Amino acid sequence: MALVTRITELLGIEHPIVQGGMMWVGRAELAAAVSNAGGLGILTALTQPTPDDLRREIERCRALTDKPFGVNLTILPSVSPPPYAEYRRAIIDSGVTIVETAGHRPQEHVEHFKAHGITVIHKCTAVRHALSAERMGVDAISIDGFECAGHPGEDDVPGLILIPAAADKVTVPMLASGGFGDGRGLVAALALGAEGINMGTRFCATVEAPIHDAVKQLIVANDERATNLIFRRFHNTGRVAKTSVSDKVVEISAQPEAVFEDIRPLVSGAKGRVALETGDLDAGLVWAGQVQGLIHDVPTCRELIERIVGDAEALIAARLSGFRVAA
């Protein structure tokens, strides 16, 4: 069986489950495993050091799956930004049909992708941003609640409110993101008005995730309280796993005179990559969400997706149908 929604029909996938585009994690082996299991795998463009490397990673993913997969392009303000237009061209030239955009001022990229017939999902953290993206012409929205790993925005609105608030106003299909990891979450997302779920942290704790087992075991061991919010005073809030490194970032940031340069050595992306690849949890940040409290094992992507969908179908068929509406 399968849950058919506007998302599954739009993306040509079997199950309404999408893998988040995660820096250093969204590589071919994970994306292909998710797609082969009936979800939508996502490569992370900027994980690849150059646009040509991205072209090669797209081809590597194609060699591993004949199912649909997408590419994430996250646009962030920077003094020395990556060559976004060149990455965009690599995605278009490679024949990718689905792109997830995220971040700052995506309109130029959305217009170019749409001009080439590419389906665009835009990830955002507020209803107003979702409506803006819809006006740009995106095909779907991924709405990211405060529970999420990564950057939840500055409004601090959790998914239980944000998802239905967005569903009340957004007309294109919508993915619910932030805090999802099991069949109960999928059913809740559908009930709140979404047409599927986007999962990041949950897919980090899978066999195929290209990160060290020590990181996967950290996620399994952590509970829902084991995250830190960083960069709050710099208005660029990020949610990461609670580790010695993120504890230090919070401690330094709490000092009245603290500036970003005081924490820069601790939060560099290069050091985060070292932590993920070597398992040295003192090397850099590990990005993870509150859904850690619902993660208790490290299954294959196929086992995970089949479990989530099976549990969701059973919940819909048995538990929800067991409630009685009084006359």
Side-chain angles (χ1 to χ4, degrees):
M1 292 180 64
L3 295 169
V4 178
T5 71
R6 287 195 295 167
I7 282 290
T8 61
E9 293 174 338
L10 175 69
L11 304 178
I13 57 179
E14 184 180 358
H15 305 303
I17 298 174
V18 175
Q19 168 230 320
M22 299 169 283
M23 195 65 178
W24 312 126
V25 184
R27 300 178 185 270
E29 52 266 52
L30 177 60
V34 173
S35 291
N36 284 333
L40 184 77
I42 300 278
L43 300 175
T44 308
L46 298 183
T47 289
Q48 302 304 317
T50 70
D52 282 340
D53 287 307
L54 175 58
R55 287 183 171 91
R56 286 187 283 271
E57 191 71 0
I58 291 168
E59 288 309 308
R60 190 164 77 93
C61 196
R62 281 212 178 95
L64 296 172
T65 184
D66 59 0
K67 302 291 181 66
F69 65 90
V71 177
N72 165 280
L73 183 63
T74 297
I75 304 99
L76 297 174
S78 172
V79 175
S80 302
Y84 290 118
E86 294 177 31
Y87 278 96
R88 186 179 70 222
R89 174 52 58 187
I91 293 167
I92 294 169
D93 289 348
S94 297
V96 171
T97 60
I98 302 168
V99 168
E100 178 191 65
T101 55
H104 190 66
R105 299 185 185 278
Q107 183 161 357
E108 172 191 351
H109 305 285
V110 170
E111 289 175 354
H112 275 80
F113 288 133
K114 292 302 299 173
H116 288 83
I118 293 173
T119 298
V120 178
I121 306 166
H122 185 65
K123 191 168 190 175
C124 46
T125 60
V127 176
R128 62 188 184 278
H129 299 154
L131 292 172
S132 175
E134 187 175 40
R135 288 192 295 270
M136 288 178 204
V138 304
D139 299 280
I141 295 293
S142 182
I143 196 79
D144 216 354
F146 187 54
E147 305 92 333
C148 71
H151 294 281
E154 304 304 311
D155 295 341
D156 298 1
V157 180
L160 192 61
I161 303 299
L162 185 60
I163 298 161
D168 284 345
K169 296 183 178 181
V170 172
T171 61
V172 296
M174 195 171 69
L175 288 163
S177 181
F180 294 97
D182 60 21
R184 295 171 298 181
L186 175 53
V187 174
L190 297 176
L192 293 171
E195 312 251 357
I197 55 175
N198 179 302
M199 303 193 306
T201 304
R202 175 64 269 202
F203 276 124
C204 286
T206 59
V207 170
E208 295 91 347
I211 58 179
H212 197 279
D213 190 60
V215 178
K216 300 176 186 183
Q217 294 306 321
L218 170 75
I219 293 170
V220 171
N222 278 349
D223 65 16
E224 65 277 5
R225 300 168 299 167
T227 67
N228 277 321
L229 291 172
I230 60 174
F231 307 152
R232 298 234 81 180
R233 71 182 299 157
F234 309 114
H235 306 291
N236 186 30
T237 299
R239 187 182 297 279
V240 297
K242 185 175 177 61
T243 64
S244 62
V245 178
S246 63
D247 282 346
K248 188 68 174 176
V249 172
V250 171
E251 178 187 339
I252 294 173
S253 300
Q255 302 303 313
E257 304 302 320
V259 295
F260 186 75
E261 291 303 317
D262 296 331
I263 60 172
R264 184 186 294 274
L266 296 170
V267 303
S268 77
K271 289 188 175 181
R273 182 178 184 177
V274 170
L276 290 178
E277 294 182 353
T278 68
D280 180 0
L281 302 177
D282 295 322
L285 294 174
V286 173
W287 295 77
Q290 291 180 317
V291 74
Q292 290 177 115
L294 303 179
I295 297 173
H296 309 299
D297 62 354
V298 182
T300 66
C301 290
R302 182 172 297 279
E303 289 168 343
L304 175 62
I305 289 175
E306 289 180 351
R307 179 201 305 168
I308 290 174
V309 174
D311 287 351
E313 290 172 345
L315 184 56
I316 292 168
R319 185 172 178 186
L320 296 187
S321 64
F323 289 108
R324 182 171 58 87
V325 178

